[in-house]
Amino acid sequence: MSFSSVGSTMLAGDVKFPRAAKAQLCRSRVSGLKVAAAVSAPSAPVDSRKPAATGGVKHAMTLTEKILAKHSDNTRLQPGANIWTNVDKLLTHDVCGPGTFGIFEKEFGAGAQVWDPEKVIIIPDHYIFTSDPRANRNVDILRDMVAKYGIKYFYDITDRSDFRANPDYKGVCHIAMAQEGHCLPGEVMFGTDSHTCNAGAFGQFASGIGNTDAGFILGTGKLLIKVPPSIRFILDGEMPPYLLAKDLILQIIGEITVAGGTYKAMEFSGDAIAAMSMEERMTICNMVVEAGAKNGICPPDAITFDYVQQRTDAPFEAVHADAGASYVEEYRFDVSKIEPLVAAPHSPDNRRKAAECSNVKIDRVYIGSCTGGKTEDFIAAAKLMHKAGGQVKVPTYLVPATQKVWMDVYGMPVPGCDGKTASQIFQEAGCDTPASPSCAACLGGPKDTYARMNKPEVCVSTTNRNFPGRMGHKDGQVYLASPYTAAASALTGRVADPRDFL
């Protein structure tokens, strides 16, 4: 890995994508740097396109700067500028939603209306499958607010005894947002959850905010923010078969520390990013907040557009960084040289090679969350367990992020595994039965939360944080890892290197 502090180049251009627009991926070598970018093939002639809102490239801007410029009616922006940005989507959930509406009603008055009921998305997901009366009351309050203000997108749950009896219920908000077509390239999204940055995988500006800011957006559809400077991460090379995106983001956070991205945009590009699925890009962007970043973002391309257009016919306008855009820092990684990693207790930047922690005995494994509970995460874990054979040596808890993921775990054959589904492989290996979709033990929760650490145990987890008490008991120890490493560790009862099985 090499580091330089120079402004570098990317392919410029803004492309509007109506419903049927298609794109192709290309690679270009500019000023000696290998970069990945999207080139459109719009149905209309190029000359008929409307000029981009930023006009000609008079001042080169990064991807984040260009999105914010378009949403604040500016032709140019520089880091540090204070702007009023228009907001395309506001996300909230059961933990912060009641407080957000409380602030909105207090500050805007009893007769005020939400700025746009179709741009507010409410997804209960944190403290759902619990008997805690306060947690349950939060969902009741959301239901009342939705009825009062006519909110269109509310993914409700009324029967907690069987999540499948609730067709509207989805599960973890960040994955549900993507699956339900709410994540669109070029948009601005804020959410009352720090991992809202997950949506940056779609080439949009997405950032977590507090209840006060969210209450203001409810009333105005705008927010005052400072334009963040951008750091560029170029990930080149071919991913080895034993690596996943979780290893890459742990490598990056370990490199720059949990403070290295403080109020910066972390922009990702390179061959490895271009080759990734949308779920793997989500894993990368999801954890930028663990480095303190304002947002994470990947250039939208054909993979992005295909994913989006399979889920919504809403029009969107993709944005790309200008050639010559200035980055405060630039990092380059050859992913083929990265080894399976963990983040040891008690910080996401406490980077260790998994092989170096083989003496660490563990008490449990947890596979789930917005970071590590997607379909591809479970497919990866199941593939390793099938290839390895044998039984898990510690309790292994499985929490699909959403109903869709849960159905995939039970219904999708795992490639190369004799037609077996992930659920069949997990059952044969002795794992716990896949649980109801939710955030579950990722952030602890009430004492009766599924798989919560109620005693001081050592856990290998595909989640995103390992601070003391994060998954329950304050003396618990959490090793953050990829699904491959989590599965390997479950089979050995120690922190394990997945290369021993793959």
Side-chain angles (χ1 to χ4, degrees):
M1 192 283 297
S2 62
F3 167 83
S4 61
S5 197
V6 296
S8 56
T9 55
M10 291 185 68
L11 193 66
D14 302 337
V15 182
K16 290 186 178 180
F17 281 82
R19 298 178 181 180
K22 300 296 180 183
Q24 65 181 22
L25 192 65
C26 74
R27 290 180 176 86
S28 173
R29 191 172 291 274
V30 184
S31 300
L33 291 181
K34 194 175 183 182
V35 300
V39 177
S40 71
S43 56
V46 173
D47 291 342
S48 69
R49 293 185 306 181
K50 294 181 180 180
T54 52
V57 181
K58 299 176 182 178
H59 170 74
M61 290 185 285
T62 67
L63 184 46
T64 291
E65 291 162 7
K66 289 189 77 173
I67 293 173
L68 293 178
K70 287 174 180 288
H71 282 75
S72 60
D73 298 322
N74 283 292
T75 57
R76 58 179 290 176
L77 281 181
Q78 290 182 318
N82 293 312
I83 61 165
W84 286 99
T85 182
N86 293 306
V87 178
D88 293 301
K89 305 274 174 56
L90 174 66
L91 164 69
T92 192
H93 50 52
D94 54 296
V95 174
C96 297
T100 294
F101 277 96
I103 290 170
F104 165 71
E105 293 185 336
K106 177 183 177 182
E107 300 299 332
F108 287 89
Q113 294 299 311
V114 169
W115 108 96
D116 191 333
E118 295 192 6
K119 292 185 177 182
V120 179
I121 298 96
I122 302 178
I123 306 179
D125 64 349
H126 276 57
Y127 304 146
I128 304 303
F129 302 103
T130 173
S131 60
D132 186 288
R134 291 171 297 180
N136 297 336
R137 176 59 181 148
N138 272 6
V139 181
D140 293 339
I141 293 172
L142 290 180
R143 198 173 294 117
D144 293 341
M145 293 298 101
V146 166
K148 181 176 182 179
Y149 295 107
I151 304 299
K152 181 177 181 179
Y153 297 107
F154 175 45
Y155 298 101
D156 194 11
I157 182 166
T158 55
D159 183 354
R160 290 181 289 107
S161 66
D162 182 1
F163 70 91
R164 290 167 293 182
N166 303 268
D168 291 337
Y169 176 71
K170 301 303 173 185
V172 178
C173 61
H174 308 300
I175 309 308
M177 288 288 288
Q179 291 177 341
E180 297 302 310
H182 295 302
C183 298
L184 297 177
E187 288 199 342
V188 168
M189 176 199 299
F190 290 102
T192 59
D193 189 286
S194 59
H195 292 107
T196 300
C197 51
N198 187 86
F202 291 84
Q204 65 183 115
F205 178 85
S207 188
I209 55 174
N211 293 2
T212 302
D213 282 347
F216 187 85
I217 292 173
L218 275 179
T220 66
K222 298 178 181 293
L223 189 64
L224 178 66
I225 66 168
K226 183 191 295 183
V227 178
S230 294
I231 308 175
R232 189 156 78 141
F233 298 86
I234 304 170
L235 284 72
D236 280 329
E238 185 176 351
M239 286 278 282
Y242 47 79
L243 279 191
L244 293 170
K246 183 66 167 288
D247 297 294
L248 304 189
I249 193 61
L250 291 180
Q251 170 75 12
I252 289 169
I253 297 171
E255 192 73 25
I256 68 174
T257 79
V258 291
T262 301
Y263 208 91
K264 295 181 175 69
M266 293 174 64
E267 184 177 310
F268 302 95
S269 62
D271 288 346
I273 296 295
M276 279 185 187
S277 68
M278 287 310 301
E279 290 196 358
E280 286 285 81
R281 295 180 196 185
M282 287 186 227
T283 300
I284 294 279
C285 290
N286 179 279
M287 286 192 66
V288 300
V289 69
E290 317 314 337
K294 181 67 173 175
N295 67 299
I297 197 162
C298 296
D301 58 18
I303 293 173
T304 316
F305 307 141
D306 287 346
Y307 185 101
V308 170
Q309 290 166 345
Q310 288 174 20
R311 290 160 177 80
T312 180
D313 61 359
F316 58 85
E317 185 175 349
V319 175
H320 297 91
D322 292 325
S326 179
Y327 298 85
V328 292
E329 294 173 333
E330 181 182 288
Y331 292 82
R332 184 185 291 273
F333 295 88
D334 180 349
V335 300
S336 67
K337 297 180 180 179
I338 296 174
E339 299 182 56
L341 300 169
V342 297
H346 291 284
S347 180
D349 64 358
N350 192 9
R351 183 182 63 193
R352 298 285 188 274
K353 293 179 181 179
E356 296 174 348
C357 300
S358 60
N359 63 328
V360 177
K361 295 181 65 175
I362 64 174
D363 301 299
R364 53 161 56 200
V365 165
Y366 184 95
I367 301 175
S369 83
C370 54
T371 314
K374 304 178 292 297
T375 295
E376 291 177 13
D377 298 317
F378 286 103
I379 294 296
K383 283 174 64 176
L384 186 143
M385 288 187 179
H386 180 266
K387 187 170 184 178
Q391 297 277 298
V392 297
K393 290 185 168 55
V394 294
T396 301
Y397 303 101
L398 311 169
V399 187
T402 65
Q403 284 220 49
K404 173 66 168 60
V405 176
W406 190 92
M407 289 188 289
D408 289 342
V409 167
Y410 275 90
M412 179 184 292
V414 178
C417 295
D418 304 323
K420 295 179 179 179
T421 65
S423 64
Q424 290 173 319
I425 295 170
F426 294 143
Q427 182 179 16
E428 291 174 359
C431 300
D432 212 40
T433 302
S436 300
S438 73
C439 297
C442 175
L443 71 164
K447 287 288 182 70
D448 62 348
T449 298
Y450 175 77
R452 185 185 191 273
M453 292 175 65
N454 289 323
K455 54 185 179 180
E457 295 180 311
V458 179
C459 178
V460 170
S461 177
T462 64
T463 54
N464 42 49
R465 289 179 179 155
N466 58 350
F467 313 133
R470 170 68 181 183
M471 295 187 73
H473 200 284
K474 65 180 181 179
D475 294 323
Q477 297 184 52
V478 178
Y479 286 79
L480 303 178
S482 78
Y484 278 157
T485 301
S489 302
L491 291 169
T492 61
R494 298 174 179 272
V495 176
D497 189 321
R499 289 176 293 186
D500 295 338
F501 301 98
L502 293 171

